[in-house]
Amino acid sequence: MGNSAFMHRFDALGGLELLIADFSDHRFDVHWHDTWSIGVVLRGANNNSAKGDSDGIVRRGQISIISPGQMHAGTPLGEEGCHYFMFYPSNEMLLGAAESMAVHLPAIKGKHIEHAAFARKLCETASVLIETQSSHFDREVVWSECVAELLQVFSPWQSLTEASDITPSLRRAKEYLHDHNAQEVRLDMLAREVGISKFHLCRQFSAKFGLSPSRYQRQLRLQQAKVLLSRGGDIAEIAIACGFADQSHMGRVFKSTYGVTPCSYRNRRM
């Protein structure tokens, strides 16, 4: 069956991205997105859980909604593999829509949802967006309708806020990695910066954020690479600018995390 994935980017819709994927054995590394992830499984099943437990299984016809910053993975299940599509709208885009409709964003953490009508709307939206003969007006209208339906269907949930139980040391460690995401960071140096032992830091950081400090930094580098690739930059230069050893290194990590190569991601724009 093999693995295939195509990433479409719609600059005229605020940089909205749409992944259409068909995987038989591709396993995503644990990662997060700074956008929402909203999609439907068309065939088979996929386990989105970062821990691999059954709570993350999304089956045919079910909707998957993952909030920004939430750790998750992706493993196709069974002989059918998994054929699905996923929208990646920015938090700012959905916040603006929610404010205009006087509703909250849905507080959904890794939910797989049965809602046939909205699943059909998502499928219709994806079809219109990737149709080459669709006008900008067509795409703008169908996407706006889709967002409005999303907010109407899920408006009873309250908006998400960052957990308040993050210790000052962990908050500082996270901020330090954001500030130095493209630079070489040593664990001893990071531990001294935040005032706890490196052993406590590694254990507490992984428990709280779902990734080790080094993998968290790698994810930050990937997020920055996506931004630069969306602008059409040179892949080798982007790899070095984001802190990867070289283009090959970034390519392996990028595909393992997002299912597409940096070149494919950069070139799929509509």
Side-chain angles (χ1 to χ4, degrees):
M1 190 183 304
N3 300 302
S4 64
F6 298 93
M7 181 72 81
H8 303 267
R9 179 180 172 87
F10 305 93
D11 291 333
L13 297 178
L16 174 70
E17 294 176 351
L18 168 61
L19 174 69
I20 301 176
D22 196 342
F23 293 130
S24 60
D25 57 9
H26 179 80
R27 296 174 180 267
F28 286 88
D29 286 344
V30 176
H31 63 286
W32 84 86
H33 299 275
D34 56 3
T35 63
W36 288 79
S37 304
I38 304 169
V40 177
V41 171
L42 303 174
R43 187 194 69 243
N46 191 56
N47 192 340
N48 293 335
S49 171
K51 299 179 180 179
D53 53 54
S54 60
D55 288 344
I57 296 177
V58 188
R59 304 187 185 280
R60 178 181 177 182
Q62 291 184 323
I63 301 166
S64 174
I65 302 183
I66 302 172
S67 57
Q70 183 187 346
M71 298 297 175
H72 61 284
T75 303
L77 304 176
E79 295 181 357
E80 282 189 301
C82 187
H83 179 35
Y84 69 95
F85 66 86
M86 191 74 73
F87 291 106
Y88 299 98
S90 70
N91 198 49
E92 292 74 20
M93 177 192 295
L94 294 192
L95 274 174
E99 289 174 0
S100 70
M101 295 176 63
V103 298
H104 291 290
L105 286 184
I108 302 172
K109 302 201 73 175
K111 292 283 187 180
H112 44 278
I113 298 164
E114 297 275 2
H115 197 293
F118 186 54
R120 286 194 297 271
K121 184 61 179 178
L122 287 168
C123 291
E124 174 196 350
T125 302
S127 296
V128 172
L129 291 189
I130 65 174
E131 170 56 57
T132 57
Q133 294 184 347
S134 294
S135 67
H136 169 60
F137 190 44
D138 292 330
R139 294 189 176 110
E140 192 173 31
V141 168
V142 75
W143 176 244
S144 296
E145 290 176 341
C146 185
V147 171
E149 189 165 333
L150 165 72
L151 296 174
Q152 289 171 346
V153 169
F154 301 115
S155 61
W157 282 297
Q158 297 298 307
S159 57
L160 283 172
T161 56
E162 186 177 33
S164 59
D165 59 343
I166 298 177
T167 65
S169 294
L170 289 183
R171 191 179 301 278
R172 175 59 187 143
K174 186 177 178 182
E175 291 172 351
Y176 188 91
L177 291 174
H178 277 263
D179 292 341
H180 300 82
N181 66 304
Q183 302 170 22
E184 182 179 359
V185 174
R186 297 297 182 90
L187 183 58
D188 286 339
M189 178 179 63
L190 180 60
R192 286 196 301 270
E193 181 72 24
V194 303
I196 58 176
S197 78
K198 62 182 181 181
F199 306 104
H200 279 96
L201 173 60
C202 288
R203 182 173 61 84
Q204 293 175 13
F205 195 98
S206 297
K208 187 61 190 176
F209 300 120
L211 290 175
S212 68
S214 60
R215 293 183 70 185
Y216 188 90
Q217 185 193 47
R218 187 179 71 180
Q219 181 66 29
L220 292 174
R221 291 174 174 179
L222 287 170
Q223 294 285 348
Q224 179 63 18
K226 286 177 67 177
V227 172
L228 297 177
L229 288 167
S230 70
R231 299 172 183 168
D234 179 79
I235 295 176
E237 292 178 359
I238 290 172
I240 298 302
C242 292
F244 293 98
D246 52 31
Q247 179 177 342
S248 177
H249 177 214
M250 185 179 78
R252 290 194 304 273
V253 175
F254 197 96
K255 185 171 183 179
S256 179
T257 302
Y258 299 124
V260 296
T261 65
C263 183
S264 176
Y265 181 85
R266 181 189 62 181
N267 295 338
R268 299 295 294 186
R269 308 174 74 181
M270 298 183 73

PDB file of all heavy atoms in Angstrom, residues 219-248:
ATOM      1  N   GLN A 219      11.584  20.341  18.222  1.00  0.00           N
ATOM      2  CA  GLN A 219      10.256  20.705  17.726  1.00  0.00           C
ATOM      3  C   GLN A 219      10.176  22.201  17.434  1.00  0.00           C
ATOM      4  O   GLN A 219       9.564  22.627  16.451  1.00  0.00           O
ATOM      5  CB  GLN A 219       9.198  20.299  18.748  1.00  0.00           C
ATOM      6  CG  GLN A 219       7.774  20.601  18.333  1.00  0.00           C
ATOM      7  CD  GLN A 219       7.318  19.785  17.136  1.00  0.00           C
ATOM      8  OE1 GLN A 219       7.793  18.669  16.922  1.00  0.00           O
ATOM      9  NE2 GLN A 219       6.419  20.333  16.343  1.00  0.00           N
ATOM     10  N   LEU A 220      10.794  23.026  18.276  1.00  0.00           N
ATOM     11  CA  LEU A 220      10.835  24.465  18.024  1.00  0.00           C
ATOM     12  C   LEU A 220      11.557  24.762  16.710  1.00  0.00           C
ATOM     13  O   LEU A 220      11.137  25.642  15.945  1.00  0.00           O
ATOM     14  CB  LEU A 220      11.538  25.178  19.177  1.00  0.00           C
ATOM     15  CG  LEU A 220      10.819  25.179  20.530  1.00  0.00           C
ATOM     16  CD1 LEU A 220      11.719  25.796  21.600  1.00  0.00           C
ATOM     17  CD2 LEU A 220       9.497  25.928  20.458  1.00  0.00           C
ATOM     18  N   ARG A 221      12.627  24.033  16.452  1.00  0.00           N
ATOM     19  CA  ARG A 221      13.364  24.225  15.205  1.00  0.00           C
ATOM     20  C   ARG A 221      12.505  23.850  13.999  1.00  0.00           C
ATOM     21  O   ARG A 221      12.538  24.527  12.962  1.00  0.00           O
ATOM     22  CB  ARG A 221      14.645  23.393  15.233  1.00  0.00           C
ATOM     23  CG  ARG A 221      15.671  23.904  16.232  1.00  0.00           C
ATOM     24  CD  ARG A 221      16.878  22.984  16.350  1.00  0.00           C
ATOM     25  NE  ARG A 221      17.897  23.581  17.208  1.00  0.00           N
ATOM     26  CZ  ARG A 221      19.053  22.997  17.516  1.00  0.00           C
ATOM     27  NH1 ARG A 221      19.324  21.787  17.044  1.00  0.00           N
ATOM     28  NH2 ARG A 221      19.928  23.615  18.296  1.00  0.00           N
ATOM     29  N   LEU A 222      11.737  22.784  14.135  1.00  0.00           N
ATOM     30  CA  LEU A 222      10.850  22.379  13.045  1.00  0.00           C
ATOM     31  C   LEU A 222       9.768  23.426  12.790  1.00  0.00           C
ATOM     32  O   LEU A 222       9.420  23.711  11.637  1.00  0.00           O
ATOM     33  CB  LEU A 222      10.208  21.029  13.372  1.00  0.00           C
ATOM     34  CG  LEU A 222      11.123  19.810  13.290  1.00  0.00           C
ATOM     35  CD1 LEU A 222      10.426  18.586  13.874  1.00  0.00           C
ATOM     36  CD2 LEU A 222      11.544  19.541  11.847  1.00  0.00           C
ATOM     37  N   GLN A 223       9.233  23.997  13.864  1.00  0.00           N
ATOM     38  CA  GLN A 223       8.216  25.040  13.701  1.00  0.00           C
ATOM     39  C   GLN A 223       8.789  26.239  12.949  1.00  0.00           C
ATOM     40  O   GLN A 223       8.145  26.807  12.060  1.00  0.00           O
ATOM     41  CB  GLN A 223       7.695  25.482  15.075  1.00  0.00           C
ATOM     42  CG  GLN A 223       6.937  24.420  15.839  1.00  0.00           C
ATOM     43  CD  GLN A 223       5.545  24.171  15.296  1.00  0.00           C
ATOM     44  OE1 GLN A 223       5.037  24.929  14.480  1.00  0.00           O
ATOM     45  NE2 GLN A 223       4.914  23.108  15.742  1.00  0.00           N
ATOM     46  N   GLN A 224      10.021  26.625  13.300  1.00  0.00           N
ATOM     47  CA  GLN A 224      10.657  27.740  12.607  1.00  0.00           C
ATOM     48  C   GLN A 224      10.944  27.384  11.155  1.00  0.00           C
ATOM     49  O   GLN A 224      10.784  28.218  10.249  1.00  0.00           O
ATOM     50  CB  GLN A 224      11.953  28.129  13.323  1.00  0.00           C
ATOM     51  CG  GLN A 224      12.714  29.279  12.680  1.00  0.00           C
ATOM     52  CD  GLN A 224      11.937  30.585  12.672  1.00  0.00           C
ATOM     53  OE1 GLN A 224      10.975  30.741  13.427  1.00  0.00           O
ATOM     54  NE2 GLN A 224      12.340  31.524  11.832  1.00  0.00           N
ATOM     55  N   ALA A 225      11.348  26.142  10.911  1.00  0.00           N
ATOM     56  CA  ALA A 225      11.608  25.707   9.538  1.00  0.00           C
ATOM     57  C   ALA A 225      10.342  25.788   8.693  1.00  0.00           C
ATOM     58  O   ALA A 225      10.384  26.191   7.522  1.00  0.00           O
ATOM     59  CB  ALA A 225      12.159  24.282   9.537  1.00  0.00           C
ATOM     60  N   LYS A 226       9.203  25.422   9.260  1.00  0.00           N
ATOM     61  CA  LYS A 226       7.937  25.507   8.522  1.00  0.00           C
ATOM     62  C   LYS A 226       7.646  26.945   8.105  1.00  0.00           C
ATOM     63  O   LYS A 226       7.195  27.200   6.986  1.00  0.00           O
ATOM     64  CB  LYS A 226       6.793  24.960   9.377  1.00  0.00           C
ATOM     65  CG  LYS A 226       6.772  23.453   9.510  1.00  0.00           C
ATOM     66  CD  LYS A 226       5.645  22.993  10.425  1.00  0.00           C
ATOM     67  CE  LYS A 226       4.282  23.261   9.832  1.00  0.00           C
ATOM     68  NZ  LYS A 226       3.190  22.751  10.705  1.00  0.00           N
ATOM     69  N   VAL A 227       7.892  27.878   9.016  1.00  0.00           N
ATOM     70  CA  VAL A 227       7.651  29.290   8.698  1.00  0.00           C
ATOM     71  C   VAL A 227       8.522  29.728   7.523  1.00  0.00           C
ATOM     72  O   VAL A 227       8.047  30.357   6.565  1.00  0.00           O
ATOM     73  CB  VAL A 227       7.925  30.172   9.929  1.00  0.00           C
ATOM     74  CG1 VAL A 227       7.877  31.648   9.551  1.00  0.00           C
ATOM     75  CG2 VAL A 227       6.916  29.879  11.033  1.00  0.00           C
ATOM     76  N   LEU A 228       9.808  29.388   7.580  1.00  0.00           N
ATOM     77  CA  LEU A 228      10.729  29.809   6.528  1.00  0.00           C
ATOM     78  C   LEU A 228      10.450  29.086   5.214  1.00  0.00           C
ATOM     79  O   LEU A 228      10.537  29.686   4.134  1.00  0.00           O
ATOM     80  CB  LEU A 228      12.171  29.563   6.979  1.00  0.00           C
ATOM     81  CG  LEU A 228      12.614  30.356   8.219  1.00  0.00           C
ATOM     82  CD1 LEU A 228      14.032  29.974   8.622  1.00  0.00           C
ATOM     83  CD2 LEU A 228      12.515  31.858   7.965  1.00  0.00           C
ATOM     84  N   LEU A 229      10.090  27.815   5.277  1.00  0.00           N
ATOM     85  CA  LEU A 229       9.767  27.071   4.057  1.00  0.00           C
ATOM     86  C   LEU A 229       8.523  27.632   3.379  1.00  0.00           C
ATOM     87  O   LEU A 229       8.431  27.664   2.151  1.00  0.00           O
ATOM     88  CB  LEU A 229       9.560  25.592   4.386  1.00  0.00           C
ATOM     89  CG  LEU A 229      10.818  24.789   4.731  1.00  0.00           C
ATOM     90  CD1 LEU A 229      10.434  23.446   5.345  1.00  0.00           C
ATOM     91  CD2 LEU A 229      11.680  24.575   3.492  1.00  0.00           C
ATOM     92  N   SER A 230       7.562  28.072   4.176  1.00  0.00           N
ATOM     93  CA  SER A 230       6.330  28.630   3.599  1.00  0.00           C
ATOM     94  C   SER A 230       6.602  29.914   2.829  1.00  0.00           C
ATOM     95  O   SER A 230       5.796  30.326   2.000  1.00  0.00           O
ATOM     96  CB  SER A 230       5.297  28.875   4.702  1.00  0.00           C
ATOM     97  OG  SER A 230       5.686  29.946   5.540  1.00  0.00           O
ATOM     98  N   ARG A 231       7.749  30.532   3.098  1.00  0.00           N
ATOM     99  CA  ARG A 231       8.137  31.748   2.372  1.00  0.00           C
ATOM    100  C   ARG A 231       8.969  31.432   1.136  1.00  0.00           C
ATOM    101  O   ARG A 231       9.388  32.341   0.415  1.00  0.00           O
ATOM    102  CB  ARG A 231       8.923  32.673   3.296  1.00  0.00           C
ATOM    103  CG  ARG A 231       8.130  33.140   4.516  1.00  0.00           C
ATOM    104  CD  ARG A 231       9.025  33.891   5.488  1.00  0.00           C
ATOM    105  NE  ARG A 231       8.293  34.285   6.696  1.00  0.00           N
ATOM    106  CZ  ARG A 231       8.873  34.752   7.800  1.00  0.00           C
ATOM    107  NH1 ARG A 231      10.197  34.890   7.841  1.00  0.00           N
ATOM    108  NH2 ARG A 231       8.151  35.075   8.849  1.00  0.00           N
ATOM    109  N   GLY A 232       9.255  30.134   0.918  1.00  0.00           N
ATOM    110  CA  GLY A 232       9.949  29.716  -0.293  1.00  0.00           C
ATOM    111  C   GLY A 232      11.456  29.814  -0.233  1.00  0.00           C
ATOM    112  O   GLY A 232      12.107  29.933  -1.269  1.00  0.00           O
ATOM    113  N   GLY A 233      12.050  29.731   0.947  1.00  0.00           N
ATOM    114  CA  GLY A 233      13.493  29.876   1.075  1.00  0.00           C
ATOM    115  C   GLY A 233      14.274  28.651   0.634  1.00  0.00           C
ATOM    116  O   GLY A 233      13.713  27.594   0.328  1.00  0.00           O
ATOM    117  N   ASP A 234      15.596  28.795   0.597  1.00  0.00           N
ATOM    118  CA  ASP A 234      16.491  27.698   0.241  1.00  0.00           C
ATOM    119  C   ASP A 234      16.544  26.699   1.396  1.00  0.00           C
ATOM    120  O   ASP A 234      16.799  27.074   2.550  1.00  0.00           O
ATOM    121  CB  ASP A 234      17.891  28.244  -0.047  1.00  0.00           C
ATOM    122  CG  ASP A 234      18.872  27.142  -0.390  1.00  0.00           C
ATOM    123  OD1 ASP A 234      18.855  26.672  -1.538  1.00  0.00           O
ATOM    124  OD2 ASP A 234      19.645  26.743   0.509  1.00  0.00           O
ATOM    125  N   ILE A 235      16.338  25.420   1.091  1.00  0.00           N
ATOM    126  CA  ILE A 235      16.202  24.415   2.141  1.00  0.00           C
ATOM    127  C   ILE A 235      17.501  24.239   2.922  1.00  0.00           C
ATOM    128  O   ILE A 235      17.489  24.131   4.154  1.00  0.00           O
ATOM    129  CB  ILE A 235      15.736  23.076   1.542  1.00  0.00           C
ATOM    130  CG1 ILE A 235      14.329  23.240   0.955  1.00  0.00           C
ATOM    131  CG2 ILE A 235      15.736  21.978   2.598  1.00  0.00           C
ATOM    132  CD1 ILE A 235      13.801  22.008   0.250  1.00  0.00           C
ATOM    133  N   ALA A 236      18.627  24.215   2.233  1.00  0.00           N
ATOM    134  CA  ALA A 236      19.906  24.040   2.922  1.00  0.00           C
ATOM    135  C   ALA A 236      20.179  25.205   3.872  1.00  0.00           C
ATOM    136  O   ALA A 236      20.643  25.008   5.005  1.00  0.00           O
ATOM    137  CB  ALA A 236      21.034  23.909   1.903  1.00  0.00           C
ATOM    138  N   GLU A 237      19.885  26.414   3.428  1.00  0.00           N
ATOM    139  CA  GLU A 237      20.103  27.588   4.279  1.00  0.00           C
ATOM    140  C   GLU A 237      19.153  27.585   5.472  1.00  0.00           C
ATOM    141  O   GLU A 237      19.531  27.959   6.586  1.00  0.00           O
ATOM    142  CB  GLU A 237      19.914  28.859   3.450  1.00  0.00           C
ATOM    143  CG  GLU A 237      20.986  29.060   2.383  1.00  0.00           C
ATOM    144  CD  GLU A 237      20.747  30.309   1.550  1.00  0.00           C
ATOM    145  OE1 GLU A 237      19.724  31.004   1.801  1.00  0.00           O
ATOM    146  OE2 GLU A 237      21.560  30.586   0.657  1.00  0.00           O
ATOM    147  N   ILE A 238      17.923  27.157   5.239  1.00  0.00           N
ATOM    148  CA  ILE A 238      16.946  27.091   6.327  1.00  0.00           C
ATOM    149  C   ILE A 238      17.391  26.086   7.379  1.00  0.00           C
ATOM    150  O   ILE A 238      17.274  26.328   8.586  1.00  0.00           O
ATOM    151  CB  ILE A 238      15.557  26.728   5.770  1.00  0.00           C
ATOM    152  CG1 ILE A 238      14.992  27.906   4.967  1.00  0.00           C
ATOM    153  CG2 ILE A 238      14.596  26.336   6.895  1.00  0.00           C
ATOM    154  CD1 ILE A 238      13.719  27.579   4.213  1.00  0.00           C
ATOM    155  N   ALA A 239      17.911  24.950   6.935  1.00  0.00           N
ATOM    156  CA  ALA A 239      18.364  23.917   7.873  1.00  0.00           C
ATOM    157  C   ALA A 239      19.424  24.468   8.820  1.00  0.00           C
ATOM    158  O   ALA A 239      19.352  24.269  10.042  1.00  0.00           O
ATOM    159  CB  ALA A 239      18.906  22.716   7.101  1.00  0.00           C
ATOM    160  N   ILE A 240      20.397  25.170   8.281  1.00  0.00           N
ATOM    161  CA  ILE A 240      21.467  25.727   9.115  1.00  0.00           C
ATOM    162  C   ILE A 240      20.927  26.836  10.013  1.00  0.00           C
ATOM    163  O   ILE A 240      21.251  26.909  11.204  1.00  0.00           O
ATOM    164  CB  ILE A 240      22.605  26.268   8.225  1.00  0.00           C
ATOM    165  CG1 ILE A 240      23.216  25.125   7.392  1.00  0.00           C
ATOM    166  CG2 ILE A 240      23.668  26.937   9.082  1.00  0.00           C
ATOM    167  CD1 ILE A 240      23.757  23.974   8.209  1.00  0.00           C
ATOM    168  N   ALA A 241      20.068  27.691   9.458  1.00  0.00           N
ATOM    169  CA  ALA A 241      19.524  28.808  10.237  1.00  0.00           C
ATOM    170  C   ALA A 241      18.698  28.322  11.422  1.00  0.00           C
ATOM    171  O   ALA A 241      18.621  29.002  12.454  1.00  0.00           O
ATOM    172  CB  ALA A 241      18.674  29.700   9.334  1.00  0.00           C
ATOM    173  N   CYS A 242      18.083  27.151  11.283  1.00  0.00           N
ATOM    174  CA  CYS A 242      17.216  26.632  12.345  1.00  0.00           C
ATOM    175  C   CYS A 242      17.954  25.728  13.325  1.00  0.00           C
ATOM    176  O   CYS A 242      17.342  25.199  14.260  1.00  0.00           O
ATOM    177  CB  CYS A 242      16.037  25.875  11.733  1.00  0.00           C
ATOM    178  SG  CYS A 242      14.889  26.943  10.841  1.00  0.00           S
ATOM    179  N   GLY A 243      19.256  25.528  13.111  1.00  0.00           N
ATOM    180  CA  GLY A 243      20.035  24.771  14.078  1.00  0.00           C
ATOM    181  C   GLY A 243      20.244  23.308  13.754  1.00  0.00           C
ATOM    182  O   GLY A 243      20.794  22.564  14.579  1.00  0.00           O
ATOM    183  N   PHE A 244      19.822  22.856  12.562  1.00  0.00           N
ATOM    184  CA  PHE A 244      20.060  21.469  12.172  1.00  0.00           C
ATOM    185  C   PHE A 244      21.487  21.319  11.637  1.00  0.00           C
ATOM    186  O   PHE A 244      22.094  22.290  11.170  1.00  0.00           O
ATOM    187  CB  PHE A 244      19.052  21.025  11.111  1.00  0.00           C
ATOM    188  CG  PHE A 244      17.645  20.949  11.619  1.00  0.00           C
ATOM    189  CD1 PHE A 244      16.755  21.995  11.403  1.00  0.00           C
ATOM    190  CD2 PHE A 244      17.211  19.847  12.333  1.00  0.00           C
ATOM    191  CE1 PHE A 244      15.451  21.934  11.880  1.00  0.00           C
ATOM    192  CE2 PHE A 244      15.907  19.774  12.817  1.00  0.00           C
ATOM    193  CZ  PHE A 244      15.030  20.823  12.599  1.00  0.00           C
ATOM    194  N   ALA A 245      21.995  20.091  11.673  1.00  0.00           N
ATOM    195  CA  ALA A 245      23.368  19.858  11.221  1.00  0.00           C
ATOM    196  C   ALA A 245      23.520  20.173   9.738  1.00  0.00           C
ATOM    197  O   ALA A 245      24.518  20.764   9.319  1.00  0.00           O
ATOM    198  CB  ALA A 245      23.771  18.412  11.499  1.00  0.00           C
ATOM    199  N   ASP A 246      22.528  19.784   8.937  1.00  0.00           N
ATOM    200  CA  ASP A 246      22.561  20.050   7.501  1.00  0.00           C
ATOM    201  C   ASP A 246      21.175  19.776   6.924  1.00  0.00           C
ATOM    202  O   ASP A 246      20.234  19.429   7.651  1.00  0.00           O
ATOM    203  CB  ASP A 246      23.621  19.194   6.790  1.00  0.00           C
ATOM    204  CG  ASP A 246      23.510  17.709   7.108  1.00  0.00           C
ATOM    205  OD1 ASP A 246      22.377  17.233   7.348  1.00  0.00           O
ATOM    206  OD2 ASP A 246      24.544  17.019   7.118  1.00  0.00           O
ATOM    207  N   GLN A 247      21.055  19.906   5.609  1.00  0.00           N
ATOM    208  CA  GLN A 247      19.766  19.716   4.945  1.00  0.00           C
ATOM    209  C   GLN A 247      19.246  18.295   5.120  1.00  0.00           C
ATOM    210  O   GLN A 247      18.050  18.075   5.340  1.00  0.00           O
ATOM    211  CB  GLN A 247      19.905  20.036   3.451  1.00  0.00           C
ATOM    212  CG  GLN A 247      18.627  19.838   2.647  1.00  0.00           C
ATOM    213  CD  GLN A 247      18.800  20.230   1.189  1.00  0.00           C
ATOM    214  OE1 GLN A 247      19.732  20.936   0.832  1.00  0.00           O
ATOM    215  NE2 GLN A 247      17.892  19.777   0.333  1.00  0.00           N
ATOM    216  N   SER A 248      20.138  17.316   5.034  1.00  0.00           N
ATOM    217  CA  SER A 248      19.732  15.919   5.173  1.00  0.00           C
ATOM    218  C   SER A 248      19.165  15.645   6.561  1.00  0.00           C
ATOM    219  O   SER A 248      18.154  14.946   6.705  1.00  0.00           O
ATOM    220  CB  SER A 248      20.927  15.001   4.897  1.00  0.00           C
ATOM    221  OG  SER A 248      20.579  13.651   5.082  1.00  0.00           O
TER     222      SER A 248
END
